[in-house]
Amino acid sequence: METIFLKSLGGAGTVTGSKHLLKTPELTILVDCGLFQGIKTLREKNWEPLAISVEEIDLVILTHAHLDHCGYIPLLVKNGFRGKIYMTEPTAELTKLILLDSAKIQEEDARKANYHLYSKHHPAKPLYTRDDAERSFNYFYTVQENNAINLSDHIQCEFKPCGHIIGACSVAVTCFDKIIVFSGDIGRRHSEVLPINDFFTKADYLVMESTYGDRLHDNTNVYDSLQHWINLTVENQGNIIIPSFAVGRAQELLYIIHQLKKQKRIPHDLPVILDSPMAASATAIMVDYAEYTTVDKREWSAIVSGVDINRDYINTQEIIRDKKSKIIIAGSGMVTGGRVLEYLKHDLGSSRNTILVVGFQAEGTRGRALLNQSHELKIHGSYYPVRANIVELTGLSAHADQSGLMDGLANI
């Protein structure tokens, strides 16, 4: 009997840093290659060496493009990995976008730390650079969904769409006649813009995400909730600020808001501003790969044409100075950085405004602090009082809840 070892190097005991190591007699495979995010003790793990020599890893399988699943790839290549990284086509395009953004942020953080001398490291260095990220793209290898791929004589894999974000898949690795399924991040039963999950029906072993494994999502209708809070805030002459993940969440929000306007449930002339270069690029990728969604390219184009997209940071202050009510969708989704911080500095202190929290907020993030009813938020060294309405909408989560996860298990 052939001996196969499975060890989680991340994504176990915490929801970030997903890395699952599969050691077989023929290949050593890393399923996902993510960064740890959240509190400092987690982020510091990104600087620790892996529990295996990089040269021992033959290939990487990437389930989807979120940073906690793909963000370690440039460091893996920087440290000597030279194998193929398997993923779907939309995942490849989104991963390039996300890794370049991650590298840019790290370079900027290191530069600020050196200028202000607030790092214990002298000089402070980024985990990896944009050049490192671009070099890793040479090892991307795209695959089609629902096709078996031979990795070696006795090992093959297959990708099946699992919702969550465009291009996201669960992966079955058939290894010496044993089937090991890695769920990736499983989407909700129903997405406004993605097909229903096509989960595997056979597995000897299952490695399943459990972000919401201990709870159920609120069944409140998302359209009704958005309609209520948007209209109430407009009546109060305030702004609706939505910290949003650039990939997946921003596009679903744009779709729903577009539908609410079409149905005349919110003011048709209410400005909608997408202030995130990465979200703008991710939206363009969504349009390019419309066949991976339930929305055709023509409708995506109509949605995008109804949005003011701001790519230039210089314009952000001008948008803030505009006193008209508006919907602002901006990164980052957990309020850890990005342009949403500029809007929050200005709008947190007024009860006229509403902050809609529409995604998972990791421990130690500003987004979690808002949900925990913190009375103030520290941004760029200063404290800002929280008087705005803080509203959580769990119905927009990209993750299946306990019931949805159990549905996936029931199919096997």
Side-chain angles (χ1 to χ4, degrees), residues 160-412:
K160 277 187 177 293
C162 63
H164 192 57
I165 62 171
I166 186 173
C169 286
S170 298
V171 178
V173 179
T174 302
C175 184
F176 293 92
D177 299 322
K178 293 295 184 182
I179 301 173
I180 307 155
V181 171
F182 297 86
S183 73
D185 284 353
I186 300 173
R188 306 191 315 274
R189 290 190 187 96
H190 173 71
S191 165
E192 296 301 322
V193 298
L194 296 175
I196 60 173
N197 303 342
D198 182 18
F199 205 69
F200 290 98
T201 57
K202 185 178 180 182
D204 296 294
Y205 302 94
L206 173 62
V207 181
M208 175 174 270
E209 70 116 331
S210 56
T211 306
Y212 288 98
D214 61 348
R215 74 198 85 167
L216 299 174
H217 292 323
D218 185 353
N219 287 326
T220 302
N221 184 284
V222 172
Y223 283 77
D224 291 344
S225 296
L226 278 170
Q227 176 186 351
H228 168 77
W229 286 105
I230 290 170
N231 287 333
L232 179 64
T233 307
V234 171
E235 287 172 11
N236 291 332
Q237 299 182 321
N239 294 319
I240 301 96
I241 310 298
I242 311 179
S244 176
F245 302 114
V247 178
R249 195 63 41 79
Q251 293 74 42
E252 190 163 15
L253 281 165
L254 293 178
Y255 175 86
I256 294 172
I257 292 168
H258 177 75
Q259 295 302 316
L260 288 173
K261 285 190 172 186
K262 279 179 62 176
Q263 297 165 16
K264 299 181 180 179
R265 296 172 63 177
I266 63 175
H268 187 267
D269 58 352
L270 179 64
V272 179
I273 297 167
L274 182 64
D275 196 346
S276 166
M278 187 162 70
S281 296
T283 302
I285 291 170
M286 187 81 95
V287 175
D288 289 342
Y289 288 92
E291 67 271 21
Y292 284 81
T293 77
T294 57
V295 182
D296 64 34
K297 187 169 289 191
R298 181 180 299 177
E299 187 167 6
W300 275 122
S301 298
I303 292 167
V304 172
S305 67
V307 177
D308 295 324
I309 296 177
N310 179 38
R311 291 180 177 270
D312 195 334
Y313 177 77
I314 295 174
N315 298 326
T316 298
Q317 294 303 320
E318 183 178 339
I319 295 169
I320 289 172
R321 286 192 293 270
D322 184 354
K323 301 302 182 183
K324 291 184 296 185
S325 291
K326 62 191 81 67
I327 298 173
I328 303 289
I329 301 171
S332 67
M334 295 187 192
V335 202
T336 54
R339 296 185 188 176
V340 74
L341 296 180
E342 298 302 320
Y343 293 100
L344 292 180
K345 286 179 186 178
H346 187 267
D347 286 350
L348 267 179
S350 173
S351 60
R352 293 180 306 164
N353 303 315
T354 299
I355 316 301
L356 294 179
V357 181
V358 296
F360 179 79
Q361 304 299 310
E363 183 182 353
T365 63
R366 293 187 186 91
R368 175 65 71 89
L370 288 174
L371 292 182
N372 289 341
Q373 300 180 344
S374 175
H375 67 282
E376 61 183 7
L377 213 60
K378 186 179 181 181
I379 302 175
H380 299 153
S382 298
Y383 288 89
Y384 295 84
V386 179
R387 300 190 185 96
N389 302 297
I390 309 299
V391 180
E392 183 180 19
L393 298 183
T394 62
L396 278 168
S397 173
H399 289 266
D401 63 5
Q402 183 186 75
S403 176
L405 294 173
M406 293 304 293
D407 282 350
L409 285 172
N411 290 327
I412 293 179

Side-chain angles (χ1 to χ4, degrees), residues 4-8 20-23 180 182 205-207:
I4 300 168
F5 294 93
L6 176 63
K7 181 177 182 179
S8 291
H20 303 293
L21 187 67
L22 185 65
K23 296 190 72 172
I180 307 155
F182 297 86
Y205 302 94
L206 173 62
V207 181

